[in-house]
Amino acid sequence: MSTELRDLMKTAPLHQQIAETIRGEIQTGSLPTGSRLPSEHALAQRFGVSRGTIRQARASLRADGTIAGSQGRRLAVNRPQLTQSLTELLSFSAWTESLGKTPTSIVIESGVTGADEECAEMLELQTGSTVFHVTRVRLADNAPLMIERTAFAPVLIEPLSTIDLADSSIYAELDKHGISVASARHLLSAFAATKVDARHLGLTTGAPLLRVQRVGYSLHGEPLEWSDDRYRGDQINFGIENSSVVSGVVRRMSNQEN
Amino acid sequence: MSTELRDLMKTAPLHQQIAETIRGEIQTGSLPTGSRLPSEHALAQRFGVSRGTIRQARASLRADGTIAGSQGRRLAVNRPQLTQSLTELLSFSAWTESLGKTPTSIVIESGVTGADEECAEMLELQTGSTVFHVTRVRLADNAPLMIERTAFAPVLIEPLSTIDLADSSIYAELDKHGISVASARHLLSAFAATKVDARHLGLTTGAPLLRVQRVGYSLHGEPLEWSDDRYRGDQINFGIENSSVVSGVVRRMSNQEN
DNA sequence: GAGTGGTCTAGACCACTCG
DNA sequence: GAGTGGTCTAGACCACTCG
């Protein structure tokens, strides 16, 4: 029944605590990469729980790629993964801070405008609908890394009007209003810097930029924001980790034919 | 006990069949985006299985982001996702074919060479170890899309020597030898075309390319291949889908400082 | 053939949501 | 307070792996 464990940390469910414990053992090296995990039976005895609970814990470790295996064989510990929370991926501020650098912004332009065709399609609005538009240069330790052009859905105009766009994380501020981006779609491509891009990023026109176009959605699937972010190609890259189990990435051809 | 279902397709486990059935209903629109799924109890009755089996089916639908929800509320159907299997992501041939186009290759160079420092590190070898190197231009319907420089681990030299590199999918061929890439790491960046890149892709020097550096690993975590793929920036982009649950993507800064 | 993970059941209790 | 999903148990059978 594992009363000891249950008493220690009452909040989290058992299977989650067990998953965390195993994750910890992998991180400290007691379970090195390539080694095999104890059997489900052994783990069930060790933690004093049923096999079902162990399987739940292992499901979460499999889902994030920490372990892998197949029927009849003991599960193996994988290489450590490089993953980042969605918040860090979306928020330049959160990401920069997680690297120990100071994020700043220069607001080039902001205000309410009518949505152009592309923006309207992405935000699932009528062309010309009122959106809140912001163009910012984002810097880490005062070095310009990215230029960001974002349009926010009409429902966000009200809360956004009270935010200081220059130095705060928009996501952190929206969070306080109970609004958060639960999922997103990103489109990565290579792009030649325009004159404007180049000037703001300290590059020459035509320099290669990594372009990330993205739509952020609420928990209910409503589009909240549409953004065109252009990163200095010489400074930023994106890492993607896939296993044959989990794969959320797609290579696509641009639609300039047929 | 659901003998009908079990008899219909004996191979796949019940929970997988149920997940597929629900996926189908979402795709055909009987369960539209935003609608709520029937309760676990109702589904258990409908399919004649226990609640545990339904929960297994739903776990797989949650894992790939098809549905989402929280305790006490009925689960909601998400927007359709764009995902691609790892095979399609790795294999230019498989991907091109899935788009109804004909993949071809022009082999620029191939043969056994010594691994340079970067290659050796990626494949976890000693610098100078013998690897099999291939440089190919990849075309879809005769249009050049990508130039690919791949180094294969020593264990693959033997099987690769029998393959016709010009027109076959290396992955499909290796599969026949029982070798497959089970997971991979990708690094995406923007890159200015070199003179060589430009000539082979029909671009001007300095044109923006989408560069994908990747390492492919076997099921046991051994590196099998290291590749530097450069896509025409005007033709190819990568789509990434994330939810706050699953996220395998990371933004990184290049390591040209401290 | 022993061990192991994959599947499935039937039932219990709890926390949360909703009207 | 009824409905719903989250957690957990105890036990069963099966397919696969390994020596």
Side-chain angles (χ1 to χ4, degrees), chain A residues 98-204:
Chain A
S98 76
L99 294 177
K101 292 177 187 292
T102 308
T104 46
S105 302
I106 298 168
V107 177
I108 306 293
E109 186 213 323
S110 81
V112 169
T113 54
D116 64 23
E117 205 173 321
E118 183 181 38
C119 171
E121 190 191 332
M122 291 304 172
L123 293 179
E124 298 170 19
L125 300 169
Q126 301 294 322
T127 306
S129 300
T130 309
V131 295
F132 193 89
H133 183 269
V134 185
T135 302
R136 295 192 291 180
V137 176
R138 312 300 303 263
L139 309 90
D141 284 357
N142 290 318
L145 286 186
M146 190 252 276
I147 181 165
E148 172 192 79
R149 295 170 176 89
T150 311
F152 294 92
V155 286
L156 300 183
I157 296 178
E158 169 70 20
L160 279 170
S161 59
T162 64
I163 296 179
D164 175 12
L165 298 165
D167 64 33
S168 53
S169 164
I170 290 183
Y171 296 100
E173 288 299 322
L174 288 178
D175 231 19
K176 293 181 194 163
H177 288 75
I179 299 162
S180 69
V181 176
S183 67
R185 285 182 176 188
H186 304 251
L187 214 59
L188 275 70
S189 52
F191 191 78
T194 65
K195 238 181 255 183
V196 175
D197 295 337
R199 187 172 66 239
H200 288 302
L201 294 176
L203 298 168
T204 55

Side-chain angles (χ1 to χ4, degrees), chain A residues 19-87:
Chain A
E20 273 319 304
T21 306
I22 296 176
R23 256 195 204 96
E25 286 173 1
I26 290 172
Q27 234 147 34
T28 62
S30 348
L31 288 170
T33 297
S35 72
R36 303 212 164 265
L37 247 61
S39 76
E40 293 183 352
H41 182 74
L43 287 171
Q45 285 218 317
R46 170 176 161 202
F47 290 103
V49 299
S50 78
R51 208 182 133 214
T53 305
I54 294 295
R55 286 190 63 79
Q56 258 184 297
R58 293 176 80 145
S60 114
L61 295 172
R62 291 193 88 138
D64 65 14
T66 314
I67 58 174
S70 55
Q71 203 176 26
R73 303 182 58 190
R74 296 252 287 273
L75 299 186
V77 178
N78 277 342
R79 275 165 296 109
Q81 307 282 310
L82 29 103
T83 51
Q84 212 171 54
S85 75
L86 187 65
T87 310

Side-chain angles (χ1 to χ4, degrees), chain A residues 80 185 188 231 238-239 250-251, chain B residues 80 185 188 231 238-239 250-251:
Chain A
R185 285 182 176 188
L188 275 70
Y231 293 86
F238 276 73
V250 150
R251 175 172 41 186
Chain B
R185 284 183 177 188
L188 275 70
Y231 294 88
F238 276 73
V250 150
R251 176 172 40 187

Side-chain angles (χ1 to χ4, degrees), chain B residues 2-258:
Chain B
S2 161
T3 28
E4 326 85 50
L5 241 183
R6 223 192 280 271
D7 287 352
L8 261 168
M9 17 175 167
K10 280 205 175 103
T11 39
L14 272 176
H15 69 87
Q16 207 171 307
Q17 295 173 31
I18 293 169
E20 273 320 304
T21 306
I22 296 176
R23 258 196 203 94
E25 286 173 2
I26 290 172
Q27 235 147 34
T28 61
S30 345
L31 288 171
T33 298
S35 72
R36 304 215 162 262
L37 249 59
S39 75
E40 293 183 352
H41 182 74
L43 288 171
Q45 286 217 316
R46 171 178 159 199
F47 289 103
V49 298
S50 78
R51 208 183 133 212
T53 306
I54 294 294
R55 286 189 65 77
Q56 259 184 296
R58 294 176 80 145
S60 113
L61 295 172
R62 290 193 88 138
D64 65 14
T66 313
I67 57 173
S70 55
Q71 205 177 26
R73 302 181 60 190
R74 295 255 285 274
L75 299 185
V77 178
N78 277 343
R79 274 164 299 109
Q81 305 284 308
L82 29 104
T83 53
Q84 212 170 52
S85 74
L86 186 64
T87 310
E88 272 184 324
L89 191 63
L90 289 172
S91 165
F92 184 87
S93 310
W95 170 65
T96 309
E97 276 165 7
S98 77
L99 293 177
K101 294 177 186 292
T102 308
T104 45
S105 302
I106 298 168
V107 177
I108 306 294
E109 186 213 325
S110 80
V112 169
T113 54
D116 63 22
E117 204 174 322
E118 184 181 36
C119 171
E121 189 192 332
M122 290 304 171
L123 293 180
E124 298 171 19
L125 301 169
Q126 300 295 321
T127 305
S129 300
T130 310
V131 295
F132 193 88
H133 184 268
V134 185
T135 302
R136 296 192 290 180
V137 176
R138 313 299 304 263
L139 308 90
D141 284 356
N142 291 318
L145 286 186
M146 188 252 276
I147 181 165
E148 171 194 77
R149 296 171 176 89
T150 311
F152 293 92
V155 287
L156 300 183
I157 295 179
E158 168 70 20
L160 278 171
S161 58
T162 64
I163 295 179
D164 175 12
L165 297 165
D167 64 34
S168 53
S169 166
I170 292 185
Y171 296 101
E173 289 299 322
L174 288 179
D175 232 19
K176 293 180 193 163
H177 288 74
I179 301 163
S180 69
V181 176
S183 67
R185 284 183 177 188
H186 303 252
L187 214 59
L188 275 70
S189 52
F191 192 78
T194 64
K195 239 182 250 182
V196 175
D197 295 337
R199 189 172 65 238
H200 288 301
L201 294 175
L203 297 167
T204 55
T205 304
L209 302 179
L210 188 57
R211 185 188 199 186
V212 182
Q213 295 162 285
R214 62 159 201 266
V215 192
Y217 298 90
S218 73
L219 189 60
H220 309 296
E222 300 134 354
L224 293 177
E225 52 147 23
W226 156 242
S227 193
D228 182 337
D229 301 346
R230 298 175 190 177
Y231 294 88
R232 284 182 62 139
D234 56 346
Q235 300 259 328
I236 300 290
N237 51 43
F238 276 73
I240 299 175
E241 186 99 33
N242 349 44
S243 70
S244 36
V245 189
V246 186
S247 187
V249 185
V250 150
R251 176 172 40 187
R252 305 209 302 191
M253 218 172 294
S254 303
N255 50 346
Q256 52 212 20
E257 43 195 344
N258 73 306

